[in-house]
């Protein structure tokens, strides 16, 4: 089944899931308790904010910003899953129905299922944070904004604002968490981005899909792969012959210095390009769509990928 059909099926299943839940479907929830006592007898609220994230990269950030004052559950966690074609379950509907804060990506990424479950399971007191709204993007724009430095920091601001709204008694705690996360937790991540941009800005690269575009923009790398190809692969569509011919020429002519591909979405076309790049002596490095391993934190995952990209750039340029 191609990507478009998978997404259509996922959307239909999401509707069915919602109907099943509202009809009384009983499914055991894996959500953490929403009202656990705060360790250490800290001042402020004695309950935890129940947070559910559609994707675990936003969930990791939300959990670390919330600290001891939130209980977070992510829906998509399997690194072998393509979130574009995710099929929702009855338990997902229960999690969203019980959340005080639900974080969804939007921008056409999880819109085949997440908004449907939200609307089918209304809950008073639940806030919904849509990343696309936070960063000012809409369906059809590049949804992979967790690879954009600026977008990540906008989402951090938005999550903390939600926490302070839901738990105003602990506002100062969330401010402290935010400061620590940005200045200490993300220090190595920020340093690597700065180093790569300083040393390799303008270096031409190729990529398998549009997930790499926000990262290339952040790092100042020059993306030579036609965006129409990147978008087609990302959305599960067949790329044009003209785009594939262009990329073949870029690889064989060594116009690109490094090839970056999403190992969670490797089509026959991408596998062929990876092999061609390796045969041409072009360093190849990978990124993934969700945390890999699933137990990783956002920053450890990103640091690992940035280190791999930096090593590939160093190999390609000799410095």
């Amino acid at each position: 089944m191609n990507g478009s059909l998978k997404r259509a099926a996922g959307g239909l299943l999401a509707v069915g899931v919602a109907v099943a839940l509202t009809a009384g479907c009983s499914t055991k929830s894996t959500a953490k308790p929403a009202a656990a006592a705060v360790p250490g007898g800290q001042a402020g609220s004695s309950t935890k904010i129940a947070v559910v994230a559609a994707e675990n990269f936003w969930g990791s950030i939300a959990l670390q910003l919330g600290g001891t004052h939130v209980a977070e559950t992510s829906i998509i966690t399997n690194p072998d899953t393509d979130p574009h074609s995710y099929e929702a379950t009855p338990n997902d509907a229960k999690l969203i129905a019980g959340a005080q804060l639900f974080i969804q990506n939007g921008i056409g990424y999880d819109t085949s299922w997440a908004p449907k479950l939200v609307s089918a399971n209304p809950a008073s007191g639940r806030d919904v944070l849509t990343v696309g709204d936070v960063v000012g993007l809409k369906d059809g724009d590049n949804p992979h904004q967790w690879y954009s430095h600026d977008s990540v920091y906008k989402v951090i601001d938005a999550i903390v604002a939600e926490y302070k709204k839901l738990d105003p008694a602990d506002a100062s705690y969330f401010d402290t968490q935010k400061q620590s996360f940005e200045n200490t937790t993300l220090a190595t991540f920020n340093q690597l981005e700065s180093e790569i941009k300083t040393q390799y800005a303008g270096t031409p690269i190729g990529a398998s899909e549009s997930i790499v575009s926000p990262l290339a923009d952040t790092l100042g790398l020059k993306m030579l792969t036609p965006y129409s190809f990147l978008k087609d692969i990302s959305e599960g569509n067949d790329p044009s012959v003209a785009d594939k011919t262009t990329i073949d020429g870029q690889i064989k002519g060594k116009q690109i210095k490094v090839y970056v591909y999403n190992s969670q979405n490797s089509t026959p076309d991408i596998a062929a390009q990876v092999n061609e790049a390796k045969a041409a002596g072009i360093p190849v490095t990978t990124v993934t769509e969700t945390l890999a391993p699933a137990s990783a934190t956002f920053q450890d995952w990103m640091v690992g990928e940035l280190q791999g990209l930096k090593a590939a750039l160093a190999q390609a340029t000799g410095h």
Side-chain angles (χ1 to χ4, degrees), residues 6-18 52-57 73-77 81-96 102-106 108-121:
K6 284 183 179 179
R7 285 190 293 282
L12 291 172
L13 181 58
V15 175
V17 165
V52 175
E55 297 88 13
N56 63 358
F57 38 82
T73 304
S74 295
I75 292 176
I76 297 179
T77 60
T81 298
D82 180 2
H84 291 273
S85 55
Y86 180 74
E87 297 182 352
T89 70
N91 195 59
D92 298 338
K94 289 191 69 174
L95 289 173
I96 294 171
F102 176 57
I103 303 171
Q104 59 187 3
N105 193 78
Y109 190 68
D110 45 22
T111 47
S112 67
W113 61 274
K116 293 181 177 67
L117 295 189
V118 170
S119 61
N121 299 281

Side-chain angles (χ1 to χ4, degrees), residues 236-290:
N237 300 321
D238 292 330
S240 70
V241 173
D243 280 349
K244 290 191 284 187
T245 300
T246 296
I247 296 166
D248 287 341
Q250 291 173 347
I251 292 174
K252 291 175 181 177
K254 295 190 177 181
Q255 297 172 35
I256 62 172
K257 297 297 183 182
V258 170
Y259 185 88
V260 186
Y261 81 102
N262 176 7
S263 60
Q264 282 177 261
N265 186 22
S266 182
T267 68
D269 286 325
I270 299 307
Q273 289 175 12
V274 168
N275 290 334
E276 288 173 8
K278 290 179 178 178
I282 296 171
V284 174
T285 188
T286 65
V287 295
T288 58
E289 199 133 353
T290 57

Side-chain angles (χ1 to χ4, degrees), residues 19-261:
V19 171
L21 181 64
T22 54
C25 178
S26 175
T27 305
K28 184 177 179 181
S29 173
T30 58
K32 300 174 186 176
V38 176
Q42 298 171 1
S45 173
S46 61
T47 60
K48 295 187 177 186
I49 300 170
V51 180
V52 175
E55 297 88 13
N56 63 358
F57 38 82
W58 297 129
S60 176
I61 292 174
L63 177 60
Q64 293 179 82
L65 290 171
T68 59
H69 292 257
V70 307
E72 187 276 330
T73 304
S74 295
I75 292 176
I76 297 179
T77 60
N78 187 344
D80 295 325
T81 298
D82 180 2
H84 291 273
S85 55
Y86 180 74
E87 297 182 352
T89 70
N91 195 59
D92 298 338
K94 289 191 69 174
L95 289 173
I96 294 171
Q100 291 169 272
L101 175 62
F102 176 57
I103 303 171
Q104 59 187 3
N105 193 78
I107 327 176
Y109 190 68
D110 45 22
T111 47
S112 67
W113 61 274
K116 293 181 177 67
L117 295 189
V118 170
S119 61
N121 299 281
S124 61
R126 178 185 62 204
D127 283 359
V128 176
L129 189 159
T130 303
V131 170
D133 294 341
V134 171
V135 301
L137 297 177
K138 61 186 185 305
D139 287 6
D141 293 331
N142 194 320
H144 309 98
Q145 293 302 304
W146 57 98
Y147 276 102
S148 163
H149 179 97
D150 290 345
S151 292
V152 166
Y153 271 74
K154 288 177 181 177
V155 173
I156 290 171
D157 289 343
I159 291 173
V160 172
E162 286 287 350
Y163 288 166
K164 292 163 74 172
K165 174 185 173 184
L166 293 167
D167 181 11
D170 289 312
S172 61
Y173 173 85
F174 296 125
D175 284 335
T176 299
Q177 288 292 107
K178 177 178 181 290
Q179 182 178 13
S180 176
F181 185 70
E182 290 181 339
N183 297 334
T184 303
T185 305
L186 294 182
T188 303
F189 163 74
N190 289 330
Q191 180 182 356
L192 275 168
E193 285 194 335
S194 178
E195 289 175 353
I196 292 172
K197 188 170 186 177
T198 298
Q199 296 176 32
Y200 303 108
T203 303
I205 68 167
S208 66
E209 64 152 288
S210 62
I211 193 173
V212 185
S213 297
L215 180 63
D217 291 343
T218 291
L219 301 176
L221 302 175
K222 185 178 181 180
M223 178 66 73
L224 291 192
T225 307
Y227 188 74
S228 52
F229 177 90
L230 300 175
K231 194 170 189 291
D232 281 338
I233 295 296
S234 176
E235 296 178 352
N237 300 321
D238 292 330
S240 70
V241 173
D243 280 349
K244 290 191 284 187
T245 300
T246 296
I247 296 166
D248 287 341
Q250 291 173 347
I251 292 174
K252 291 175 181 177
K254 295 190 177 181
Q255 297 172 35
I256 62 172
K257 297 297 183 182
V258 170
Y259 185 88
V260 186
Y261 81 102

